[in-house]
Amino acid sequence: MPVRRERADAARNRLRVLAAAEALFAEQGVADTTMDEVAARAGVGKGTVYRRFGDQAGLAAELLSERGRELQERIMSGPPPLGPGAEPQERLAAFAAAYLEFQATHLDLVLLSESGSAGSRLRKGSYAFWRQHCAWLLSQAGAVDPALRAEALLASLSAEQVQDWVGRDGADVSALAAGLARLAATLATA
Amino acid sequence: MPVRRERADAARNRLRVLAAAEALFAEQGVADTTMDEVAARAGVGKGTVYRRFGDQAGLAAELLSERGRELQERIMSGPPPLGPGAEPQERLAAFAAAYLEFQATHLDLVLLSESGSAGSRLRKGSYAFWRQHCAWLLSQAGAVDPALRAEALLASLSAEQVQDWVGRDGADVSALAAGLARLAATLATA
DNA sequence: TGACGAAGCGGACTGTGGTCCGCTACGGTC
DNA sequence: GACCGTAGCGGACCACAGTCCGCTTCGTCA
């Protein structure tokens, strides 16, 4: 299949839209920013935004995967226990804590990226990476049903769940992280 | 506080709306039914629907809690292993399987009830019951962090997760149920 | 039974996400 | 450089969730 290059104007507009969205989200919050505003700020028609990103969730996912790249780096080639070198069980616990922090930090963006009726929402973008990583660690640790448990763990760290937890338990995120790390370890050993 | 009785016309309209929604959902699917249609079918203004149910999610939750009541009965006073009489661990495994089936059966309704930006979405209505039940069984089984693990288990059975699973793995729901039952047992023992 | 305060009603209205389609300009070819 | 097929553009347009507020009806008290 011929890998058709992205046209110059399309590339320019893509960057403009991403920059505009990032700026508006920072200035006035994710919830108060409309797609029209993003398009206007980017100096671009609304149709262009939708052609490129599909919908709001797609735009959010794009922004998010940029930010997730850094965490992916730390996992693949950073120091243990998050990176390679530690026991699978420890790595999984470290991942749970780190991923919780990531989700909590970008909560509204993640929430947006998961919303909408676009088939299997979050199941696009970087989600595959997280799932793969967890499933791999679980199977290394000799757990049963590694694929299923990977998804179970990630489901416990979904935006809805995290929102609920931080909203209810307030600032006690570190206790939560500890509990989730214990949970991850349990999943890996049994 | 004075428990003000529901006005007669309000009660009548509430039943009409619920019946209209149920009929339309059955006839043309949840996704293709608009709030205007529900209101029109019920012979009621749109404002009335919103006054009573808050939003789409609220309406869906109401319908859902009616249907969930039956499962609640089976849990509280039905035969084991779902009902009382079996070991906590077995009951939890049975619950996981039964709840999965419930979610899969009412998938689009549950999805709708969880959508929307109304604070902590599903965290209203019957969710409290499920959480309570799981947390109780887990603590009976001597598990650590019973409250957290109850939520983790339910998160793994959230509508998004279930949708993803049945959408991807197709008809193999029984294998999934078995895996989730194992997972529940693991959570209870460790 | 009449009167009155308030709960409840309803549908016009608004804001926003997403679509559509005629127009533009990019970039490959001769 | 001129030409042309097509990817990409843009903003008018549409559908639908949710709000608002003047009007209606309920039910209570005398």
Side-chain angles (χ1 to χ4, degrees):
Chain A
M1 43 191 347
V3 182
R4 204 165 275 286
R5 270 254 317 287
E6 184 180 28
R7 239 170 65 174
D9 53 347
R12 193 184 60 232
N13 284 333
R14 197 189 66 239
L15 294 177
R16 276 194 194 172
V17 170
L18 286 172
E22 194 149 26
L24 284 168
F25 288 165
E27 280 169 27
Q28 54 189 8
V30 172
D32 292 337
T33 301
T34 70
M35 294 298 267
D36 290 84
E37 282 178 311
V38 172
R41 172 79 156 243
V44 142
K46 204 157 52 134
T48 302
V49 178
Y50 278 95
R51 146 171 287 268
R52 190 73 31 218
F53 300 100
D55 59 6
Q56 267 193 318
L59 177 55
E62 195 75 22
L63 242 23
L64 217 41
S65 85
E66 273 183 14
R67 303 195 188 171
R69 219 108 59 194
E70 185 254 354
L71 179 54
Q72 293 184 18
E73 287 301 327
R74 284 202 285 147
I75 287 170
M76 289 196 297
S77 53
L82 193 57
E87 289 300 302
Q89 190 177 333
E90 289 177 63
R91 290 192 71 190
L92 195 65
F95 169 78
Y99 190 69
L100 171 65
E101 197 210 325
F102 178 79
Q103 295 280 80
T105 304
H106 304 106
L107 196 50
D108 33 11
L109 213 49
V110 185
L111 241 14
L112 188 59
S113 84
E114 290 187 14
S115 77
S117 50
S120 311
R121 82 214 73 271
L122 174 69
R123 276 51 184 162
K124 59 196 168 191
S126 40
Y127 184 78
F129 178 89
W130 313 124
R131 190 176 60 200
Q132 194 73 14
H133 179 61
C134 290
W136 166 251
L137 291 177
L138 283 164
S139 75
Q140 284 295 300
V144 299
D145 306 320
L148 184 144
R149 290 182 178 202
E151 302 220 58
L153 178 59
L154 288 170
S156 309
L157 290 163
S158 72
E160 275 82 17
Q161 192 57 53
V162 172
Q163 173 182 239
D164 204 49
W165 269 328
V166 304
R168 184 148 30 85
D169 303 345
D172 204 357
V173 180
S174 58
L176 186 55
L180 285 165
R182 272 195 298 278
L183 172 65
T186 300
L187 290 176
T189 46
Chain B
M1 42 194 340
V3 182
R4 204 164 274 286
R5 272 252 318 286
E6 186 181 26
R7 237 169 69 171
D9 52 347
R12 194 185 59 232
N13 285 333
R14 196 190 64 239
L15 294 178
R16 276 194 193 171
V17 170
L18 286 173
E22 194 149 26
L24 285 168
F25 288 165
E27 280 168 29
Q28 54 188 3
V30 172
D32 292 337
T33 301
T34 69
M35 293 299 265
D36 290 83
E37 284 178 309
V38 172
R41 172 79 156 243
V44 142
K46 204 155 53 134
T48 301
V49 178
Y50 278 94
R51 147 172 287 267
R52 191 66 42 208
F53 299 101
D55 59 7
Q56 269 192 317
L59 178 55
E62 196 74 23
L63 244 22
L64 217 43
S65 84
E66 273 183 13
R67 303 193 187 174
R69 218 109 58 192
E70 186 252 354
L71 179 55
Q72 293 185 18
E73 287 301 326
R74 284 202 285 149
I75 288 170
M76 290 196 294
S77 53
L82 192 58
E87 289 300 302
Q89 191 177 332
E90 289 176 62
R91 290 193 72 190
L92 195 65
F95 170 78
Y99 190 70
L100 171 65
E101 197 210 326
F102 178 79
Q103 294 280 80
T105 304
H106 305 106
L107 196 50
D108 33 11
L109 212 48
V110 184
L111 241 14
L112 187 60
S113 85
E114 291 186 13
S115 78
S117 51
S120 312
R121 83 211 70 274
L122 175 70
R123 276 53 183 160
K124 62 194 166 191
S126 39
Y127 184 79
F129 178 89
W130 314 124
R131 188 176 61 202
Q132 194 72 16
H133 179 62
C134 291
W136 166 250
L137 290 177
L138 283 163
S139 76
Q140 283 296 298
V144 300
D145 308 319
L148 184 144
R149 290 182 179 201
E151 303 221 58
L153 178 59
L154 287 170
S156 309
L157 290 162
S158 72
E160 274 82 17
Q161 192 57 52
V162 172
Q163 174 181 239
D164 204 48
W165 269 327
V166 304
R168 183 146 30 84
D169 303 346
D172 205 359
V173 179
S174 58
L176 185 56
L180 285 165
R182 274 195 296 279
L183 172 66
T186 301
L187 289 177
T189 45

